[in-house]
Amino acid sequence: MLGAIIGDIVGSRWEFSEPPKENFELFTPDCSYTDDTICTIAIADAILNGKDYKESLLYWCRKYPNPMGGYGGRFAQWVFSEDPQPYGSYGNGSAMRVSPVAWLFDDYDKVKEEARKTAAPTHNHPEGIKGAECIATLAYWLRTCRITRDEVEGKVEKLWHYEIPSLKDIYKIGAQNHFDGTCMETVPMAIRCFLESENFEDAIRIAVLADGDTDTKAAITGTLAEAFYEIPEELVDKAFAYLPSDMLDVITAYYKHIQDIYEE
């Protein structure tokens, strides 16, 4: 989960600004958490406390109605509707909020099932469901060493039928000011950003330099990177400084729960 949150915060200041440059500063006063972090916290809270995914998303998003960058138009309508119903989205929001599933469940079929459930309240289009399932499963496999990094691309193409573009092509698309807002674009791009990385920070930097939907692309890349690399404590401490206490409480409970599982 922290991988996604760090990616979100680092990417936040670039989404509506000039394209990032090489060796950009990761954390500045212009950074903040966005809807990506809020929704990720909501999913973790739901799992930890036995809440319904829909109700947890509504609770957290209504509690924080004005995050940096706001909420997407249709998602905002859903959040503040009197009777929120799924609206067939295939946006990348389903993939950016799913990371807790990869760590709080320890069975392949259960991970897929819960990933689908996290997407269903809003992103119930088959592509929205697929994006969440793909990222949760890959992160689960990577953290449990069920596949190697070299096997990722083949598994993705075989099981989810994503064609993973080259990093050169991703950067070319980013240079054209194209905003990759769908699972079909952002998920394979984020996978490539992870595959080309050498460590956690490098993965986040590659994703942000791809431009476009920088916070979400970096959040999804960070989900995979956390499952494969160690996150430097310095980055954790800096990210924590942007978060309110109730979010930090969920994060603390989340990692304590994981630690307790590993110690059993």
Side-chain angles (χ1 to χ4, degrees):
M1 178 167 70
L2 271 178
I5 292 172
I6 291 170
D8 175 43
I9 293 171
V10 172
S12 63
R13 69 186 175 107
W14 299 106
E15 186 171 332
F16 302 108
S17 67
E18 292 296 315
K21 306 296 184 183
E22 292 279 354
N23 300 315
F24 63 89
E25 189 173 352
L26 293 177
F27 297 97
T28 76
D30 294 326
C31 293
S32 184
Y33 64 87
T34 78
D35 59 322
D36 296 19
T37 290
I38 296 169
C39 291
T40 300
I41 292 288
I43 297 304
D45 185 30
I47 299 170
L48 290 171
N49 295 295
K51 299 178 182 179
D52 178 79
Y53 289 123
K54 174 183 175 180
E55 295 308 314
S56 190
L57 284 165
L58 289 171
Y59 169 80
W60 282 96
C61 292
R62 288 172 176 174
K63 186 173 185 179
Y64 291 95
N66 299 298
M68 182 177 184
Y71 294 106
R74 294 179 70 191
F75 185 79
Q77 292 176 13
W78 179 84
V79 168
F80 301 110
S81 168
E82 293 184 1
D83 183 27
Q85 296 297 322
Y87 51 91
S89 176
Y90 49 80
N92 54 25
S94 60
M96 61 78 167
R97 70 193 189 206
V98 77
S99 57
V101 170
W103 292 81
L104 294 177
F105 296 98
D106 206 26
D107 174 81
Y108 168 63
D109 291 325
K110 188 65 172 175
V111 167
K112 290 196 301 179
E113 176 188 354
E114 294 299 321
R116 292 192 288 266
K117 288 181 179 179
T118 67
T122 52
H123 294 60
N124 59 327
H125 187 283
E127 291 291 344
I129 298 288
K130 184 173 80 170
E133 180 185 304
C134 174
I135 293 303
T137 303
L138 286 181
Y140 167 66
W141 279 343
L142 287 166
R143 78 166 180 85
T144 56
C145 301
R146 280 170 167 77
I147 62 172
T148 66
R149 183 161 62 170
D150 290 341
E151 294 175 304
V152 166
E153 188 166 356
K155 289 285 188 182
V156 168
E157 291 179 352
K158 179 179 180 180
L159 297 177
W160 293 285
H161 310 294
Y162 286 127
E163 183 177 343
I164 302 178
S166 69
L167 194 58
K168 178 181 178 180
D169 286 342
I170 293 171
Y171 281 7
K172 182 178 179 180
I173 292 170
Q176 296 170 349
N177 296 317
H178 176 73
F179 191 82
D180 52 300
T182 68
C183 275
M184 297 86 83
E185 289 185 302
T186 310
V187 168
M189 286 182 179
I191 293 170
R192 174 60 68 196
C193 291
F194 161 68
L195 291 177
E196 295 296 323
S197 66
E198 297 181 357
N199 52 56
F200 179 83
E201 180 178 331
D202 188 44
I204 299 301
R205 287 186 176 279
I206 290 171
V208 172
L209 286 169
D211 210 10
D213 194 354
T214 49
D215 61 329
T216 300
K217 194 184 291 106
I220 298 172
T221 301
T223 294
L224 301 178
E226 180 181 13
F228 191 74
Y229 302 117
E230 183 176 350
I231 302 178
E233 283 296 324
E234 178 186 6
L235 300 189
V236 174
D237 292 341
K238 288 184 177 180
F240 278 2
Y242 292 87
L243 301 175
S245 60
D246 55 352
M247 293 188 191
L248 292 174
D249 288 344
V250 174
I251 293 171
T252 299
Y254 171 87
Y255 284 100
K256 184 180 185 304
H257 183 82
I258 292 171
Q259 183 179 14
D260 291 344
I261 292 174
Y262 288 163
E263 290 177 351
E264 288 180 356

